[in-house]
Amino acid sequence: MSQETGRVQLPTPRAHLTSDRTRATLAVQSKFLTGAREFLVGEGFQELLPPTIGPVTDPGARGAKQVDIDYYGHRYKLMTSGILYKQASLLSFDKIFHVAPNVRLEPMETAVTHRHLVEFHQLDVEIGEGSREDALDIAERLTKYVVEYVLVHAQTELAVLGRDLEAFKQILAGPYGRRSHADVVADLQGRGHAQEAGAEVDWEGEEIISRAAAHPFFITDYPKGSRGFYDKESTTEPGVLRNFDLIFPGGFGEMMSGSERESDYRNLVMRIRETGENPAKYDWYLTLAREGLPSSAGFGLGVERFTRFLCGLDAAWQASGYPKLPGDPRP
């Protein structure tokens, strides 16, 4: 890290790609994805290839800017998340997943969070007619399956990385915990961290609760307005969203975000308007919703973030062959 700027000084492409640690990390990542595919296919999921551009993308990426491109005279976006396309894909299959590339122009301050990249990948999962509980069940069993798979199939690579295998016992020891957003906010405020009650847990707060945790846990029930319009509002608790984040211990922070999805046309239009956006931007998506979209639940698991945990890395950029941090031009 540069002492003058506080920014991470990334190695040259040659130094990074020829490093034994990089080789071991990318091999673990490959085996993680092999294990994830094995688990999901065994659960009846269909893998699809995701789009990389579209007329709109996920508007809920906090603080990050979208990238516009000229698509034959039309303004299109690089995907920040394929959530809208995951919902649409359920018109073909009941359960789907993809390994999706995403690009987000993250705020400059995220260059030193150890968890953010401009270009990254998500393992996206969607369950037609599924509930949040269905998504939580798949999320927990998937991550545990992958940890066990890597322990069996990547012993050589984990040894090269010097990974402390005791950390994996925290993941496999028992059921993941659950905490409400309100409980986490109160905890952070009690620790002297100024977490806003109506907002997502901020990056510093996320690291605080991650370091204090002994086992993985889900944060549930974020307040309405803190997340995207596609997160479904509770029918029994107005103002509370049926969503979640998965937090891993040891300071590794958030591994995934997910929710039950809003699929009702009128509710979607209302929610989009509440965010200050024009529903006309989402014409193709809203047309599908008006004609009927399946209800669903799902999540996105950060590939580089989860690889960082598996390998015990200092930062997510080390889990990418061609890392891109905010403000740093790279190949």
Side-chain angles (χ1 to χ4, degrees):
M1 182 178 291
S2 166
Q3 293 182 348
E4 294 181 0
T5 65
R7 291 183 56 79
V8 175
Q9 297 297 306
L10 298 181
T12 66
R14 177 174 294 276
H16 183 56
L17 292 169
T18 58
S19 162
D20 288 342
R21 290 185 61 81
T22 300
R23 288 194 185 102
T25 295
L26 297 182
V28 169
Q29 186 175 91
S30 176
K31 291 173 182 179
F32 141 37
L33 291 172
T34 298
R37 286 186 167 101
E38 182 175 282
F39 172 83
L40 290 167
V41 169
E43 292 286 324
F45 285 82
Q46 172 71 42
E47 182 172 6
L48 300 178
L49 298 177
T52 55
I53 63 171
V56 289
T57 186
D58 177 4
R62 55 175 173 172
K65 294 181 180 179
Q66 300 172 1
V67 179
D68 293 337
I69 65 168
D70 184 335
Y71 183 69
Y72 301 101
H74 299 274
R75 179 190 288 182
Y76 268 46
K77 309 283 187 181
L78 295 182
M79 288 295 111
T80 60
S81 162
I83 171 59
L84 308 183
Y85 293 89
K86 286 200 295 180
Q87 285 184 275
S89 295
L90 295 174
L91 295 170
S92 291
F93 300 96
D94 292 336
K95 298 194 288 187
I96 63 100
F97 74 97
H98 22 85
V99 180
N102 296 280
V103 176
R104 299 178 185 176
L105 297 183
E106 297 283 359
M108 291 294 289
E109 59 266 26
T110 64
V112 293
T113 64
H114 313 298
R115 299 190 297 283
H116 290 83
L117 292 168
V118 170
E119 182 180 66
F120 64 99
H121 296 78
Q122 286 190 161
L123 175 58
D124 278 318
V125 176
E126 200 72 13
I127 309 162
E129 308 299 337
S131 66
R132 180 177 69 181
E133 282 61 41
D134 293 325
L136 291 172
D137 173 65
I138 290 292
E140 180 168 345
R141 290 194 292 118
L142 167 65
T143 48
K144 287 183 174 180
Y145 188 96
V146 167
V147 167
E148 291 178 326
Y149 189 93
V150 165
L151 276 170
V152 171
H153 296 280
Q155 293 180 12
T156 300
E157 291 82 3
L158 294 173
V160 168
L161 293 161
R163 181 59 166 132
D164 179 7
L165 302 185
E166 290 295 312
F168 293 160
K169 293 182 179 179
Q170 297 173 306
I171 312 305
L172 303 174
Y176 291 175
R178 296 194 192 184
R179 300 177 65 185
S180 70
H181 176 270
D183 174 58
V184 170
V185 168
D187 182 2
L188 286 170
Q189 291 175 345
R191 294 173 184 269
H193 180 69
Q195 171 63 46
E196 293 182 41
E200 286 194 282
V201 178
D202 60 35
W203 299 307
E204 184 181 352
E206 181 186 306
E207 186 158 351
I208 291 171
I209 59 171
S210 173
R211 291 196 180 281
H215 302 283
F217 67 93
F218 293 105
I219 304 176
T220 63
D221 302 331
Y222 280 75
K224 185 180 178 182
S226 66
R227 299 283 273 262
F229 63 76
Y230 41 77
D231 281 10
K232 191 168 187 176
E233 185 175 1
S234 171
T235 57
T236 58
E237 298 179 81
V240 174
L241 299 175
R242 296 275 296 165
N243 58 6
F244 63 91
D245 283 345
L246 174 58
I247 305 296
F248 265 31
F252 290 98
E254 177 203 317
M255 292 290 117
M256 69 167 65
S257 291
S259 72
E260 277 184 33
R261 314 303 190 187
E262 182 57 71
S263 58
D264 180 80
Y265 170 74
R266 290 183 177 83
N267 288 342
L268 282 168
V269 171
M270 178 180 66
R271 293 283 300 280
I272 291 171
R273 285 176 174 157
E274 286 175 351
T275 66
E277 289 207 81
N278 182 359
K281 286 173 53 179
Y282 298 89
D283 178 65
W284 76 269
Y285 171 72
L286 291 174
T287 296
L288 291 180
R290 186 171 58 246
E291 295 168 348
L293 278 175
S295 63
S296 67
F299 56 84
L301 172 67
V303 171
E304 287 83 3
R305 287 187 183 188
F306 198 63
T307 305
R308 179 194 173 205
F309 163 76
L310 291 171
C311 298
L313 306 175
D314 294 329
W317 71 260
Q318 295 168 312
S320 171
Y322 302 92
K324 296 178 181 65
L325 290 172
D328 189 354
R330 301 285 294 181

